[in-house]
Amino acid sequence: MAGRNHLFVPGPTNTPHEILSAMHVPMEDHRSPIFPKLLSPILEDLKKVFRTESGQCFVFPATGTAGWEVAMTNCLNQGDKVLIYRFGQFGHLWAEAAKKLGFDVEIHQVEWGKGIPLDHLEARLKEDKNHEIKAVLATHNETSTGVTSDIPGVRKALDSSGHPALLFSDGVSAIGSIDFRQDEWGVDASIAGSQKGFMLPAGLAILGFSQKALAAIDNSNFPRSFFSLKDMAASNKDGYTPYTPSTPMLYGLRKALDLLLEEGMENVYARHYRLGEGVRRAVAAWGLQTCAQEGWASDTVTAILVPSDKDARHVIGTAYNKYNISLGAGLSEVAGKVFRIGHVGDMNDVSLLGAIAGVEMAMLDNDIDIKAGSGVAAAIEYYRSTAK
């Protein structure tokens, strides 16, 4: 097929040429005297993206899923009770990971399309008078449903109830793209992945820890080796890693940080909001609904419900096979019910207009009753009226 594949999944995202070029380097000695000149500034600049001055950032050659494991196994003990709300596939997977690692997982089911219910959380924390809950596992941005939860509200619930539990935030599809403030929001462990807002290939788990979380490591008896934060911190202070790093990925991360910080994090957040809002207006113009209910919409991915007599997988297949466009599939409970448009990372207005046009063609080919051009027109008017 002539042309290129157009990637509109919520991760992996498009990697800019500047980052690809930065990663195209010969192998080098990661124990050399100059290696700290690469790693140490990266760890400092990550703090600007995580919005922390008092915390500490780490990079593991792994994935966001590994980041969950790093946070839990370093700051908690086997058998500890952790609380999580399940309102999408990634919250589900985080809960399952915690079970496999031997934690006592308290799961509360939430309708898919909504996020963390803050009133329920505060009430549950107040009930826990013996402070058996040691951590709240909060999915900031649930990619499978296009839902963003209120992490400052989670912190407020913890503070209002006087509960000392640690706050862990899965920000894999949030950090580097939508508003996140580790210090201001009182997040103890935040988890990101390289393949979303950082615009890199998958392969890095990028984490931020508060001083409270780092202090908890001393009280953890959980067995760990490769994922030991103590080992990582001991090497990082001199600009090295305890085990072999992925040097090309670090060079790519260096360039990604340059791009994000040059744009400015507030501008990054505003750009993602505009991109997401244009897609949401297109969905409304089609007469369709998003999976995310009112007030919960994500600025990095929109999950779109197809009519009940249609199968979203057919739309995804047509988009890929006929128009060379990659869309996100519905996962688990929403499989076949939604398709997803990712609007995260290296993307602009015209990129999204291409996605919206391709989606319209795929839906029309599958006899979904929309007016050709309606979504594109709605997005065009929004993007034009809000462009700088």
Side-chain angles (χ1 to χ4, degrees), residues 131-331:
H131 298 159
E132 294 179 359
I133 297 168
K134 301 304 180 186
V136 175
L137 312 183
T139 306
H140 185 186
N141 196 76
E142 177 51 73
T143 323
S144 64
T145 56
V147 161
T148 298
S149 277
D150 181 359
I151 300 301
V154 175
R155 167 47 62 192
K156 184 178 179 181
L158 281 159
D159 292 346
S160 297
S161 60
H163 203 290
L166 294 165
L167 171 55
F168 294 174
S169 176
D170 173 358
V172 172
S173 58
I175 295 171
S177 47
I178 62 177
D179 195 10
F180 180 78
R181 303 166 189 268
Q182 176 142 347
D183 285 357
E184 184 179 330
W185 297 356
V187 177
D188 294 303
S190 49
I191 300 130
S194 54
Q195 76 278 20
K196 309 275 186 174
F198 288 98
M199 303 171 287
L200 287 158
L204 295 180
I206 307 170
L207 303 105
F209 287 83
S210 71
Q211 290 301 317
K212 178 182 176 181
L214 293 173
I217 298 171
D218 291 331
N219 298 317
S220 172
N221 57 19
F222 208 105
R224 52 191 177 266
S225 176
F226 182 79
F227 289 147
S228 170
L229 277 178
K230 276 193 172 182
D231 291 349
M232 185 64 85
S235 292
N236 283 175
K237 69 179 177 58
D238 297 320
Y240 295 98
T241 59
Y243 308 113
T244 305
S246 172
T247 51
M249 288 288 282
L250 290 176
Y251 277 107
L253 179 56
R254 174 66 274 164
K255 178 53 69 173
L257 289 168
D258 291 344
L259 294 174
L260 288 170
L261 296 175
E262 181 181 352
E263 183 176 359
M265 295 313 300
E266 295 295 340
N267 292 326
V268 170
Y269 305 150
R271 174 167 57 84
H272 281 84
Y273 171 80
R274 283 188 69 255
L275 295 175
E277 181 62 17
V279 173
R280 291 187 285 270
R281 294 194 181 208
V283 174
W286 293 330
L288 300 178
Q289 301 292 323
T290 64
C291 184
Q293 297 187 27
E294 185 71 28
W296 295 105
S298 167
D299 288 334
T300 59
V301 56
T302 300
I304 301 155
L305 291 160
V306 298
S308 59
D309 62 338
K310 303 296 181 183
D311 191 328
R313 287 168 289 204
H314 297 160
V315 175
I316 295 166
T318 300
Y320 187 85
N321 293 315
K322 191 172 181 181
Y323 302 116
N324 211 4
I325 294 175
S326 293
L327 302 173
L331 303 172

